[in-house]
């Protein structure tokens, strides 16, 4: 296969599929690299093999993925599954590993559509076997038709938590309690966000229906819960939490945690893209123009990886990035790009109406000071919140320095699970702003790969040697 | 822990040295969870058991030896004849006995 493509799309979720389809339909040579072994990303996971029952159960929101997947297959876009991208460079070079071999290719343009991940929020016992993400449980249902058959507790905050709860109620799962950490009284900041949301009553009604279903079920639904703690030594056996001055305890063999979703930004940080802090949602995202272009001419960010707005918005943004890429490649004149973009921008605007309200209602309120010292922050290296506090008290106020001293973020996940909370803890303990506490530096390889793959890889015509692959990136 | 709504075609694998049957058409992590095997590895830093947490390639809690390499079980499709080693027995001697 050729080493040079007009465009390389990274990720085969809604944004990646839409971008690749559009580019291929315009006659461009586009390669889609996806890390999963099946396309669809997380939202449309397993979409091409889903059973009728799954479609009935997951509804129209999921079925939309079928249209997207069919369009992608028909478009003629090249597609490689199980392809783990481990380095991108501003000149369009990409290194990726597939079936035990690494390759270096080049795209005139890169559209990175890496999607979102569940916000990792440490709490005591969150690393016990049996404690999994609510989104993870959802993935298991889509991918393998697995449904929990032990007593479980659902805890956290956000619309996806409630969605997962209603799905489990429908399936008759044994839910001991839903512990919602969202405050009992909605924040005042939510009020001005209501009028635009009213333009999308369809969306609001969905939320109302979810709440009704939860309230009508026999499952205890508790709001304003704090101090959640998973109990057990070798495996989770229960959950303890507080509601006001009441202490609650539940027996459970499984705990599903969810605290909203954040962009998956490692690839942008590795490339050296400029990042910005979104304060109301408390996450970092790459800075993009309204086509999704980052500060690098050849690197675009599309979908939830650029900022979390959901599957539909991701699809539109993938197309917008594709249109601008096509213009740059000389396929579309500017006026045609703009004409094709207009309906997408209108649809995007409509889709965004309820977002400020949702964001305000479920704004993250991570209280780093409430975490007990013994809470494991970095699961890979077993670094506790107390370890971080000690180092911060000694005067270290920047996350990369904290990482060097404590090893938090140095394990195989490369700070994906501890990074966001690490910054919150460092900022809150030291009193510096979260921007000043910083963001963990990300270096290639983005995912651990066997060294023999690097040693034996074909670097292409301009590759000089494996050592050059790891030459220092930004900073 | 989990029940599978529709059985899928089984594949034969060697799991921790023992011939085992796992449901096919899904990731190694999902297949192990479907058969009640929730422990994916012992944490190399704490020695405590771990189970898959994110099921989408983020957390690395399901890292295990698959066909000779450390791989994320949630990102690897289970295949006929796979050799999967979780190395979850507490001490080396047990490990050897188990393999024999």
């Amino acid at each position: 296969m050729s080493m040079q493509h007009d465009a390389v799309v990274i990720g085969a979720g809604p944004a990646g599929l839409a971008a690749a389809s559009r580019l291929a339909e315009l006659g461009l040579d586009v390669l889609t690299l996806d890390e999963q072994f099946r396309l669809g990303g997380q939202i449309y996971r397993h979409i091409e093999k889903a059973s009728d029952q799954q479609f009935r159960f997951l509804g129209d929101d999921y079925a939309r993925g079928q249209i997207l997947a069919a369009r992608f297959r028909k478009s003629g876009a090249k597609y490689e599954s199980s392809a783990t991208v481990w380095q991108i460079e501003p000149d369009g070079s990409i290194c990726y590993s597939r079936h035990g071999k690494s390759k270096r290719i080049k795209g005139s343009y890169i559209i990175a559509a890496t999607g979102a991940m569940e916000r990792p929020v440490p709490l005591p016992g969150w690393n016990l076997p049996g404690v999994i993400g609510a989104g993870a449980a959802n993935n298991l249902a889509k991918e393998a038709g697995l449904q929990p058959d032990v007593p479980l507790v659902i805890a956290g905050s956000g619309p996806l938590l409630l969605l997962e709860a209603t799905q489990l109620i429908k399936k008759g799962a044994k839910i001991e309690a839903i512990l919602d950490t969202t405050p009992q009284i909605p924040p005042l900041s939510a009020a001005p966000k209501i009028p635009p949301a009213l333009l999308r009553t369809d969306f609001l009604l969905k939320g109302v229906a979810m709440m009704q279903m939860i309230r009508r079920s026999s499952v205890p639904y508790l709001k304003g819960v704090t101090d959640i703690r998973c109990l057990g030594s070798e495996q989770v056996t229960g959950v303890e939490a507080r509601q006001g001055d009441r202490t609650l305890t539940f027996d459970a063999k499984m705990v599903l945690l969810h605290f909203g979703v954040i962009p998956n930004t490692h690839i942008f940080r590795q490339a050296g893209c400029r990042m910005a802090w979104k304060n109301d949602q408390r996450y970092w995202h790459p800075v993009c123009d309204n086509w999704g272009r980052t500060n690098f001419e050849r690197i675009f960010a599309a979908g939830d990886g650029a900022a979390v707005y959901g599957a539909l918005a991701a699809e539109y943004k993938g197309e917008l990035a594709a249109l601008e890429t096509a213009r740059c490649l000389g396929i579309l004149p500017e006026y045609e790009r703009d004409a094709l973009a207009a309906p997408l921008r209108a649809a995007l605007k409509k889709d965004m109406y309820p977002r400020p309200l949702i964001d305000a209602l479920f704004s993250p309120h991570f209280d780093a000071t409430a975490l007990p010292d013994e809470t494991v922050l970095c699961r890979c290296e077993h670094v506790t919140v107390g370890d971080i506090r000690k180092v911060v008290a000694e005067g270290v106020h920047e996350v990369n320095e904290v990482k060097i001293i404590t090893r938090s973020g140095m394990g195989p996940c490369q700070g994906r699970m501890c990074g966001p909370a690490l910054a919150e803890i460092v900022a809150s303990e030291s009193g510096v702003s979260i921007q000043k506490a910083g963001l963990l530096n990300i270096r290639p390889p983005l995912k651990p790969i066997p060294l023999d793959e690097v040693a034996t890889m074909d670097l292409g015509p301009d590759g000089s040697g494996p050592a050059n692959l790891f030459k220092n990136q930004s900073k | 822990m989990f029940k599978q709504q529709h059985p899928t075609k089984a594949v034969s694998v060697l799991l921790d040295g023992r011939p085992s049957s796992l449901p096919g058409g899904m990731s190694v992590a999902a297949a192990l969870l479907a058969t009640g095997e929730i422990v994916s590895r012992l944490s190399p830093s704490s020695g405590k058991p771990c189970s898959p947490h994110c099921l989408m390639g983020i957390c690395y809690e399901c890292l295990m030896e698959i066909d000779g390499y450390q791989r994320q079980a949630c990102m690897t499709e289970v295949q006929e004849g796979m050799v999967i080693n979780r190395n979850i027995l507490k001490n080396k001697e047990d490990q050897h006995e188990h393999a024999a």
Side-chain angles (χ1 to χ4, degrees), chain A residues 17 20-22 24-25 30 70-78:
Chain A
L17 290 176
S21 304
R22 173 66 80 165
E25 285 159 6
V30 52
R71 178 184 171 198
F72 175 72
R73 294 288 187 189
K74 204 179 148 207
S75 74
K78 293 181 198 133

Side-chain angles (χ1 to χ4, degrees), chain A residues 65-385:
Chain A
Q66 234 182 348
I67 303 165
L68 213 54
R71 178 184 171 198
F72 175 72
R73 294 288 187 189
K74 204 179 148 207
S75 74
K78 293 181 198 133
Y79 163 57
E80 293 187 20
S81 60
S82 303
T84 303
V85 172
W86 52 263
Q87 174 167 356
I88 64 168
E89 290 169 66
D91 70 351
S93 297
I94 293 170
C95 295
Y96 71 100
S97 164
R98 185 168 191 249
H99 302 325
K101 280 207 174 89
S102 276
K103 256 210 242 186
R104 186 166 191 240
I105 60 162
K106 210 161 179 181
S108 297
Y109 292 88
I110 296 175
I111 299 177
T114 46
M117 56 183 264
E118 291 191 281
R119 181 194 303 274
V121 173
L123 48 88
W126 74 315
N127 53 336
L128 285 168
V131 182
I132 73 171
N138 191 273
N139 280 354
L140 286 171
K142 287 176 187 158
E143 173 187 334
L146 296 188
Q147 97 180 48
D149 66 348
V150 291
L152 64 97
V153 168
I154 303 174
S157 173
L160 292 180
L161 181 88
L162 302 176
L163 177 66
E164 183 61 20
T166 53
Q167 292 193 355
L168 287 169
I169 290 169
K170 273 195 234 169
K171 287 180 186 164
K174 290 172 242 169
I175 308 172
E176 298 297 308
I178 301 167
L179 307 178
D180 196 332
T181 60
T182 315
Q184 302 237 28
I185 303 158
L188 271 179
S189 60
K193 312 285 167 56
I194 294 173
L198 293 176
L199 294 166
R200 285 291 309 279
T201 39
D202 56 323
F203 192 90
L204 296 181
L205 286 175
K206 253 189 228 175
V208 172
M210 279 197 315
M211 286 314 299
Q212 269 178 349
M213 180 166 192
I214 291 173
R215 301 234 187 248
R216 279 188 199 146
S217 71
S218 55
V219 178
Y221 173 65
L222 300 146
K223 259 192 129 173
V225 172
T226 58
D227 304 278
I228 297 169
R229 173 188 283 273
C230 299
L231 310 170
S233 60
E234 298 286 292
Q235 196 173 328
V236 70
T237 55
V239 176
E240 195 183 272
R242 296 181 64 77
Q243 189 191 36
D245 18 313
R246 246 189 347 144
T247 302
L248 316 157
T249 25
F250 300 94
D251 288 335
K253 288 215 163 87
M254 188 187 297
V255 179
L256 305 183
L257 296 179
H258 178 84
F259 294 91
V261 291
I262 60 173
N264 200 345
T265 58
H266 266 52
I267 202 162
F268 304 110
R269 287 149 68 188
Q270 178 267 310
C273 293
R274 195 171 303 131
M275 303 293 290
W277 173 254
K278 188 166 160 52
N279 201 47
D280 58 342
Q281 287 305 296
R282 302 200 77 74
Y283 63 62
W284 289 93
H285 63 93
V287 178
C288 299
D289 68 9
N290 64 357
W291 299 101
R293 176 178 271 122
T294 65
N295 53 312
F296 293 118
E297 164 81 23
R298 294 175 187 280
I299 302 178
F300 287 78
D304 277 2
V308 178
Y309 290 104
L312 272 180
E315 208 181 302
Y316 305 141
K317 288 185 172 181
E319 293 237 13
L320 289 172
L323 291 175
E324 168 63 1
T325 302
R327 186 196 67 84
C328 294
L329 288 164
I331 295 295
L332 287 181
E334 201 171 306
Y335 69 87
E336 199 177 344
R337 174 202 68 178
D338 292 344
L340 288 168
L344 293 167
R345 293 208 190 276
L348 194 58
K349 195 171 161 204
K350 185 173 174 226
D351 187 61
M352 298 272 215
Y353 286 139
R355 183 59 60 172
L357 177 66
I358 302 169
D359 284 355
L361 283 177
F362 299 104
S363 62
H365 44 275
F366 176 64
D367 181 6
T369 54
L371 280 178
D373 271 344
E374 71 274 14
T375 313
V376 173
L377 169 68
C378 170
R379 306 160 73 109
C380 299
E381 296 290 329
H382 202 76
V383 182
T384 64
V385 172

